[in-house]
């Protein structure tokens, strides 16, 4: 009788194992073609699941987007440090779910066993970079505040990842971004070139390098690396604007226009881009295009509009359309009454627009009086020009008065 029961048990066990193997094989096939829900259903049929099955369930749930279920299964799969693969994926998903403290614990446990694995340090750095820093200091202690601003423990993990693998692109990328924020441009460039030795087309690294040159004012180098991004197909409004500004600084106005027109393809109603194009077209004396973009800048811009009005007034001034020049310079001064450039432009426009010389003379005198006692008045070219024109107007009016008396 005992032999009979043993045979029955072995037959049932064999059938159960066959069912498990079948469910596992079908589940793997469904997972491979992206049918995650049915794959999960097959994995769930497996009796007495091993850690490897829980890992498959976790991956299927993660691919499907049911992340809480994925976390639960990863936790079952990662029952010991021997299951390093499951723990690694579990920790990464914890970061995705913004469970940073738990992720830190997972990767710290992995590092305690696998202390030469660079990616575990990188992942722990990611977890800790996003954790809130609960540091309370007195606002008056500015020295301590500056020191704490540069104290970032997670940076040490990124450094350790690079120390273990000098080609770890993600860790190098995080470090370059960190040093860019700290304005340590020399470190940015050192690390960026280190990364590019092993991966010359890493667009994240190239972008950080280009920004480093941009912010330190190295225009030629900035242009070179932003242009490199375009060559690699990284065409964005940010890149176009930065590149356009670099060409603007070098007074390569046609090149700058090309870049800002490219920026408009991403945001056709961007008032800043339109206003910049209006200025650039003024420089190239394409006054029709300057007028168009100046009007569009005003159309799309919220308050304040002072600069946009001023740029448009300059366009009309160059076109010798004195009526519209006066209209928009007045609007500029309504927005910003202390805009010195606009004040002087108004006087110049009035000089050409008004027939009454005495009214124009009064405007020059008021402008000179307002600014002649300024700290840098003796170096101010607008004051010099205003005085020269004032003196000439005085002579013209004097001569005219003399002719009338005769």
């Amino acid at each position: 009788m005992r032999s009979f029961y043993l045979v029955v048990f072995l037959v049932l066990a064999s059938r159960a194992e066959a069912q498990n193997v079948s469910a596992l094989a079908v589940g793997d096939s469904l997972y491979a073609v992206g049918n995650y829900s049915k794959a999960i259903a097959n994995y769930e049929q497996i009796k007495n699941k091993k850690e490897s099955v829980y890992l498959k369930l976790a991956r299927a749930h993660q691919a499907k987007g049911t992340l809480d279920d994925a976390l639960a299964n990863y936790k079952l799969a990662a029952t010991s440090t021997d299951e390093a693969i499951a723990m690694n994926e579990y920790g990464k998903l914890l970061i995705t779910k913004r469970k940073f403290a738990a992720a830190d614990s997972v990767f710290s446990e992995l590092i305690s066993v696998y202390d030469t694995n660079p990616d575990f340090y990188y992942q722990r750095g990611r977890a800790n970079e996003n954790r809130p820093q609960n540091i309370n200091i007195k606002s008056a202690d500015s020295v301590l505040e500056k020191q704490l601003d540069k104290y970032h423990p997670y940076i040490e993990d990124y450094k350790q990842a690079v120390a273990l693998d000098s080609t770890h692109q993600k860790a190098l990328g995080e470090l370059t971004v960190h040093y860019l924020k700290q304005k340590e441009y020399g470190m940015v460039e050192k690390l960026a070139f280190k990364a590019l030795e092993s991966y010359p087309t890493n667009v994240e690294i190239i972008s950080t390098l280009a920004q480093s040159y941009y912010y330190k004012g190295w225009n030629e180098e900035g242009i070179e690396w932003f242009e490199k991004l375009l060559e690699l197909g990284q065409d964005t409004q940010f890149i176009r604007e930065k590149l356009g500004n670099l060409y603007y600084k070098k007074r390569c106005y046609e090149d700058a226009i090309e870049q800002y027109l490219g920026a408009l393809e991403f945001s056709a109603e961007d008032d800043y881009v339109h206003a910049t194009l209006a200025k650039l077209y003024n420089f190239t004396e394409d006054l029709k295009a300057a007028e168009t973009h100046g009007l569009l800048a005003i159309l799309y811009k919220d308050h304040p509009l002072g600069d946009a009005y001023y740029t448009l007034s300059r366009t009309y001034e160059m076109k010798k359309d004195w009526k519209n020049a006066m209209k928009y310079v007045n609007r500029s001064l309504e927005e910003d009454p202390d805009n010195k450039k606009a004040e002087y432009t108004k006087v110049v426009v009035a000089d050409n627009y008004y027939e009454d010389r005495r009214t124009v003379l009064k405007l020059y005198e008021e402008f000179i009086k307002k600014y002649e006692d300024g700290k840098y008045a003796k170096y101010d070219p607008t004051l010099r020009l205003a005085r020269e024109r004032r003196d000439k107007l005085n002579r013209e009016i004097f001569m005219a008065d003399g002719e009338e008396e005769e």
Side-chain angles (χ1 to χ4, degrees):
M1 182 66 73
R2 288 181 179 178
S3 298
F4 172 76
Y5 285 123
L6 179 60
V7 170
V8 171
F9 173 77
L10 290 173
V11 169
L12 292 174
S14 176
R15 287 180 180 176
E17 183 62 27
Q19 288 176 346
N20 283 349
V21 171
S22 176
L24 185 63
V26 172
D28 288 347
S29 298
L30 290 165
Y31 178 85
V33 296
N35 197 338
Y36 304 120
S37 293
K38 289 187 177 180
I40 290 167
N42 276 272
Y43 292 143
E44 290 288 9
Q45 293 176 19
I46 298 171
K47 307 295 184 182
N48 302 318
K49 299 178 184 65
K50 297 179 180 178
E51 286 85 353
S52 60
V53 177
Y54 287 120
L55 181 57
K56 290 177 184 289
L57 274 166
R59 288 171 173 170
H61 275 295
Q62 184 167 359
K64 181 182 174 183
T66 47
L67 301 186
D68 289 335
D69 290 326
L71 280 175
N73 282 284
Y74 272 128
K75 196 169 185 179
L76 291 169
T79 54
S80 71
T81 53
D82 293 333
E83 296 293 337
I85 295 173
M87 289 186 71
N88 183 32
E89 294 181 22
Y90 177 46
K92 290 178 182 179
L93 185 55
L94 286 168
I95 295 173
T96 300
K97 290 286 290 179
R98 303 187 66 79
K99 297 179 182 294
F100 302 123
D104 171 78
S105 297
V106 168
F107 286 110
S108 292
E109 187 174 349
L110 283 168
I111 288 169
S112 70
V113 179
Y114 306 97
D115 60 355
T116 59
N117 186 315
D119 202 61
F120 293 161
Y121 289 98
Y122 167 70
Q123 297 298 342
R124 188 171 70 175
R126 285 181 65 212
N128 285 305
E129 182 175 4
N130 290 284
R131 291 178 71 176
Q133 302 294 316
N134 297 318
I135 302 173
N136 295 316
I137 59 173
K138 294 181 180 179
S139 59
D141 195 345
S142 59
V143 175
L144 178 58
E145 191 171 6
K146 288 180 180 178
Q147 290 175 340
L148 288 173
D149 186 51
K150 292 190 175 184
Y151 177 68
H152 302 287
Y154 58 86
I155 290 299
E156 297 306 315
D157 276 334
Y158 292 145
K159 288 180 179 178
Q160 183 62 22
V162 172
L164 291 167
D165 178 3
S166 63
T167 67
H168 197 295
Q169 297 293 311
K170 291 182 177 179
L172 285 164
E174 293 290 351
L175 286 171
T176 57
V177 169
H178 168 74
Y179 287 118
L180 182 67
K181 291 177 181 177
Q182 297 294 326
K183 300 182 180 180
E184 296 185 35
Y185 303 124
M187 284 298 297
V188 173
E189 290 146 30
K190 177 181 177 181
L191 291 166
F193 285 118
K194 185 183 187 69
L196 293 174
E197 286 177 5
S198 55
Y199 186 12
T201 57
N202 185 329
V203 293
E204 287 80 11
I205 292 288
I206 292 172
S207 176
T208 308
L209 180 60
Q211 291 175 67
S212 176
Y213 285 128
Y214 178 90
Y215 291 119
K216 72 188 288 188
W218 288 26
N219 299 335
E220 291 283 356
E221 291 79 2
I223 288 171
E224 176 188 351
W225 290 100
F226 277 119
E227 288 281 12
K228 181 70 173 177
L229 288 172
L230 291 178
E231 290 173 13
L232 293 171
Q234 302 299 305
D235 195 354
T236 67
Q237 182 174 351
F238 175 83
I239 292 171
R240 292 285 186 172
E241 286 189 19
K242 289 291 182 283
L243 191 50
N245 188 253
L246 287 167
Y247 278 123
Y248 194 162
K249 291 176 180 177
K250 283 176 58 57
R251 300 184 181 182
C252 299
Y253 300 129
E254 295 289 353
D255 291 324
I257 287 170
E258 179 185 351
Q259 299 307 322
Y260 280 108
L261 287 174
L264 277 185
E265 293 181 10
F266 296 92
S267 181
E269 298 183 2
D270 190 311
D271 62 275
Y272 166 78
V273 176
H274 282 294
T276 304
L277 280 166
K279 293 177 183 177
L280 288 165
Y281 278 121
N282 276 344
F283 286 126
T284 63
E285 298 186 5
D286 186 345
L287 302 183
K288 183 177 181 181
E291 179 183 8
T292 298
H293 287 286
L295 289 168
L296 287 171
I298 290 169
L299 175 65
Y300 296 132
K301 186 175 176 65
D302 294 327
H303 291 285
L305 292 166
D307 285 343
Y309 284 138
Y310 172 70
T311 298
L312 191 55
S313 72
R314 292 282 293 132
T315 300
Y316 285 122
E317 179 190 356
M318 294 171 73
K319 293 180 71 174
K320 301 189 186 304
D321 183 347
W322 308 116
K323 180 178 179 181
N324 277 317
M326 183 60 73
K327 173 183 175 181
Y328 285 105
V329 78
N330 280 332
R331 288 188 181 181
S332 175
L333 288 168
E334 286 172 8
E335 295 285 334
D336 183 5
D338 295 320
N339 184 336
K340 185 179 178 182
K341 293 186 296 183
E343 286 182 281
Y344 181 70
T345 296
K346 178 177 179 176
V347 177
V348 172
V349 170
D351 198 351
N352 290 276
Y353 186 41
Y354 296 158
E355 292 185 3
D356 187 345
R357 299 290 84 191
R358 294 183 186 277
T359 300
V360 174
L361 176 61
K362 184 178 179 182
L363 289 172
Y364 276 112
E365 288 174 339
E366 289 173 351
F367 177 83
I368 293 166
K369 183 177 180 181
K370 182 174 181 179
Y371 291 106
E372 64 182 351
D373 294 326
K375 185 176 180 181
Y376 301 104
K378 64 179 180 180
Y379 306 111
D380 189 341
T382 57
L383 271 175
R384 176 178 57 79
L385 293 169
R387 289 192 182 104
E388 290 175 359
R389 183 57 182 157
R390 176 200 59 187
D391 295 342
K392 187 174 181 180
L393 281 171
N394 270 322
R395 290 194 295 270
E396 289 177 2
I397 292 170
F398 176 77
M399 295 294 293
D401 289 344
E403 291 175 1
E404 288 178 4
E405 289 178 3
E406 292 176 1

